[in-house]
């Protein structure tokens, strides 16, 4: 296919011809209007047939139109895969602080799943709507609704990035049909009041709650779990609480004078390693709403000074740990970060021993303390 660009120019002096007009050989020039259209024409081999592609204000636009006609609609053909596009998109968002490293890790796991099923390594310019739909349809019997939705959103955001960067000319995700998982919905399952009382009585009356291999002592486990049930905060946010102290008073995340503690950080996992991360799960949402990125938890969310007693006991315990160089309220014996996995492992074992929710196939988990807190609050409001 040969390319031909015909350029027509007119005068800016009205009906009086300038030298440009006198020299111009164009046949379609209208001298009563001032414009410089660039007409794009494509012709087949031999030049016998020509196809009119349109007029453009800029020469580059006309050239792009011709190249698109030659390359099946693409300004530039390339071999970039869906995996590579998603990787580029996530790297850009991570650098711009649009997403956190934990989100980047999650999206990497999604890309790996796409690669496992053979979609991710296909050239993005060659993937059709039907191929994407077939891939998502194949997930419905193996993955939860939330996982399917995450994968769908990741593919859609990848194509949005590809269109903005001129890697594709159309979006095959426009006509996708929402896929519904066949797996049962996993519902939040709080503890019943008698289950919660049974669990709390057990950890209050037993000394050897943790395994020596866990690196976490029983007092620390007991207090962090009691604080989770009493406040409903995420376990990673509680594990990030830090204390500063001198001979007279305590400082940092806990304020005994005003009776609150501040949630402003979390212990997160990046590349399978725990890290202390500034901000919480909802910090960015709070900032967008004009709210501070942190939240202060009042001691009076629980009755009878329960929270204050837990905090003071744990502070004294943490002060006696010579390895606690970073002044965490909760930490391992060697001073390293505690993780929600450590808490959940011990939590699950105790629940199994007490036959709490034996019908739960995956066992209990520490986040149920948050669900239980909300349930107790709703029950108290109903009773009042």
């Amino acid at each position: 296919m040969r390319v031909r660009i015909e350029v027509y120019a007119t005068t800016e002096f009205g009906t009086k011809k300038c030298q440009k007009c006198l020299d111009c050989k164009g046949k379609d020039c209208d001298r009563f209007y001032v414009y410089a259209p660039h007409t794009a024409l494509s012709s087949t081999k031999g030049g016998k047939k020509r196809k009119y592609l349109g007029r453009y204000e800029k020469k580059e636009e006309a050239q792009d139109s011709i190249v698109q006609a030659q390359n099946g609609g693409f300004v530039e053909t390339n071999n970039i895969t869906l995996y590579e596009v998603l990787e580029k998109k996530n790297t850009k968002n991570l650098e711009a602080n649009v997403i956190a490293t934990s989100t980047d890790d999650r999206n990497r796991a999604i890309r790996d799943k796409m690669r496992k099923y053979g979609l991710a390594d296909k050239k993005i310019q060659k993937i059709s709507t039907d191929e994407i739909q077939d891939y998502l349809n194949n997930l419905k019997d193996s993955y939860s609704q939330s996982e399917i939705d995450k994968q769908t959103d990741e593919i859609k955001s990848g194509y949005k990035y590809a269109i903005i960067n001129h890697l594709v000319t159309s979006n095959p995700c426009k006509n996708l049909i929402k896929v519904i998982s066949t797996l049962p919905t996993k519902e939040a399952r709080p503890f019943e009041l008698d289950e919660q009382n049974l669990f709390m009585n057990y950890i209050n009356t037993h000394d050897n709650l943790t395994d020596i291999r866990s690196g976490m002592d029983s007092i620390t486990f007991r207090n962090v779990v009691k604080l989770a049930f009493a406040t409903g905060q995420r376990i990673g946010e509680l594990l990030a609480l830090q204390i500063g102290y001198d001979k007279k008073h305590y400082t940092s995340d806990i304020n005994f004078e005003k009776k609150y503690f501040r949630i402003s950080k979390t212990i997160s996992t990046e590349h399978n390693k725990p890290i202390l991360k500034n901000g919480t799960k909802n910090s960015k949402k709070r900032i967008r709403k004009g709210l501070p990125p942190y939240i202060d938890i009042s001691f009076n969310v629980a009755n009878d000074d329960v929270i204050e007693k837990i905090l003071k006991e744990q502070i004294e315990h943490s002060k006696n740990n010579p390895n606690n160089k970073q002044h965490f309220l909760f930490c391992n014996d060697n001073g390293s970060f505690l993780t929600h996995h450590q808490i959940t492992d011990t939590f699950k074992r105790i629940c199994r021993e007490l036959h709490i929710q034996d019908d739960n196939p995956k066992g209990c988990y520490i986040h149920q303390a948050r669900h239980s807190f909300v349930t107790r609050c709703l029950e108290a409001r109903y009773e009042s």
Side-chain angles (χ1 to χ4, degrees):
M1 179 179 287
R2 294 186 300 174
V3 177
R4 180 181 177 188
I5 299 177
E6 296 185 358
V7 181
Y8 304 101
T10 64
T11 178
E12 58 185 35
F13 300 109
T15 59
K16 183 180 177 180
K17 290 186 177 181
C18 65
Q19 190 59 41
K20 269 190 176 181
C21 288
L22 294 173
D23 296 336
C24 179
K25 303 300 181 183
K27 297 179 181 180
D28 299 327
C29 178
D30 188 341
R31 61 192 176 89
F32 293 101
Y33 296 93
V34 180
Y35 61 89
H38 297 267
T39 302
L41 300 171
S42 66
S43 59
T44 59
K45 189 175 182 179
K48 294 182 180 180
K49 293 182 180 180
R50 293 190 302 171
K51 183 179 180 181
Y52 174 73
L53 302 177
R55 284 184 176 180
Y56 301 88
E57 292 184 4
K58 296 181 180 180
K59 183 178 179 179
E60 292 79 9
E61 293 175 344
Q63 290 173 329
D64 286 346
S65 176
I66 294 169
V67 175
Q68 284 181 339
Q70 289 180 319
N71 294 336
F74 300 111
V75 174
E76 179 182 354
T77 57
N78 57 63
N79 295 321
I80 191 168
T81 64
L82 176 59
Y83 189 97
E84 292 168 333
V85 169
L86 294 175
E87 193 171 39
K88 286 177 179 290
K89 182 261 301 182
N90 278 280
T91 299
K92 293 288 186 183
N93 287 341
L94 189 62
E95 291 173 349
N97 198 33
V98 175
I99 62 173
T101 50
S102 57
T103 303
D104 183 50
D105 287 342
R106 184 199 71 190
N107 291 341
R108 183 180 294 105
I110 290 176
R111 295 197 298 272
D112 290 339
K113 290 175 183 176
M114 292 181 193
R115 172 169 278 175
K116 178 181 177 182
Y117 283 86
L119 180 70
D121 290 324
K122 290 187 177 181
K123 297 176 183 178
I124 193 168
Q125 293 180 345
K126 301 294 185 180
I127 300 175
S128 66
T129 300
D130 288 342
E131 286 178 297
I132 299 174
Q133 188 70 59
D134 289 343
Y135 166 74
L136 295 173
N137 289 345
N138 287 332
L139 303 179
K140 67 180 185 297
D141 296 327
S142 304
Y143 292 95
S144 66
Q145 189 62 50
S146 62
E147 178 65 23
I148 294 174
D149 291 343
K150 288 174 184 176
Q151 296 217 31
T152 304
D153 291 343
E154 183 67 359
I155 294 173
K156 287 181 176 180
S157 66
Y159 270 96
K160 181 179 179 181
Y161 175 88
I163 288 175
I164 292 173
N165 290 277
H166 308 294
L167 299 173
V168 294
T169 56
S170 61
N171 189 348
C173 297
K174 280 186 176 180
N175 298 319
L176 288 177
I177 301 172
K178 182 178 176 62
V179 176
I180 306 299
S181 173
T182 61
L183 300 182
T185 303
K186 182 180 178 181
E187 298 181 358
R189 187 174 178 181
F191 279 18
E192 298 291 341
L193 182 58
D194 59 341
E195 293 174 330
Q196 182 172 334
N197 289 336
L198 176 63
F199 184 91
M200 299 302 287
N201 181 66
Y202 181 91
I203 65 173
N204 282 326
T205 55
H206 287 72
D207 294 327
N208 299 318
L209 300 173
T210 60
D211 191 303
I212 190 172
R213 294 171 296 181
S214 72
M216 169 182 55
D217 64 76
S218 296
I219 295 176
T220 296
F221 172 80
R222 179 188 299 120
N223 283 333
V224 72
V225 171
K226 288 170 66 176
L227 194 61
F229 273 105
T231 64
Q233 297 306 298
R234 296 179 180 88
I235 197 67
E237 296 168 350
L238 295 180
L239 296 178
L241 290 173
Q242 289 175 294
I243 52 175
Y245 42 80
D246 56 30
K247 294 181 179 179
K248 294 184 178 179
H249 60 278
Y250 305 109
T251 59
S252 73
D253 294 329
I254 304 170
N255 190 321
F256 285 105
E257 293 181 4
K258 296 184 178 180
K259 296 186 178 299
Y260 72 84
F261 65 88
R262 177 162 294 179
I263 297 292
S264 61
K265 306 180 292 296
T266 189
I267 299 294
S268 183
T269 302
E270 292 183 9
H271 309 303
N272 297 321
K273 293 183 179 180
I275 65 163
L276 177 64
K277 176 183 171 185
N278 287 323
T280 66
K281 184 176 182 179
N282 295 325
S283 289
K284 290 182 180 179
K285 291 181 181 179
R286 291 179 61 83
I287 291 173
R288 286 196 292 269
K289 293 179 180 180
L291 300 172
Y294 57 83
I295 182 171
D296 293 334
I297 307 300
S298 173
F299 290 176
N300 64 15
V301 297
N303 298 325
D304 303 325
D305 298 324
V306 170
I307 295 176
E308 188 168 357
K309 291 177 182 178
I310 295 171
L311 293 174
K312 286 185 174 179
E313 178 185 3
Q314 186 60 33
I315 286 174
E316 288 302 316
H317 182 66
S318 298
K319 285 171 61 177
N320 293 325
N321 184 348
N323 298 316
N324 189 9
K325 305 297 183 183
Q326 299 185 73
H327 303 306
F328 282 104
L329 181 63
F330 305 103
C331 69
N332 282 306
D333 295 339
N334 63 5
S336 62
F337 298 132
L338 271 174
T339 68
H340 74 277
H341 294 295
Q342 288 177 272
I343 305 297
T344 292
D345 287 346
T346 303
F347 188 87
K348 189 189 296 285
R349 177 179 55 77
I350 294 175
C351 289
R352 192 181 300 117
E353 184 178 335
L354 297 175
H355 300 287
I356 295 176
Q357 297 186 359
D358 280 340
D359 58 333
N360 191 334
K362 294 187 177 180
C364 298
Y365 48 96
I366 186 60
H367 197 69
Q368 287 176 279
R370 182 173 173 84
H371 300 318
S372 301
F373 171 80
V374 174
T375 301
R376 300 292 91 80
C377 290
L378 293 174
E379 290 171 349
R381 182 181 297 178
Y382 178 77
E383 291 173 357
S384 62

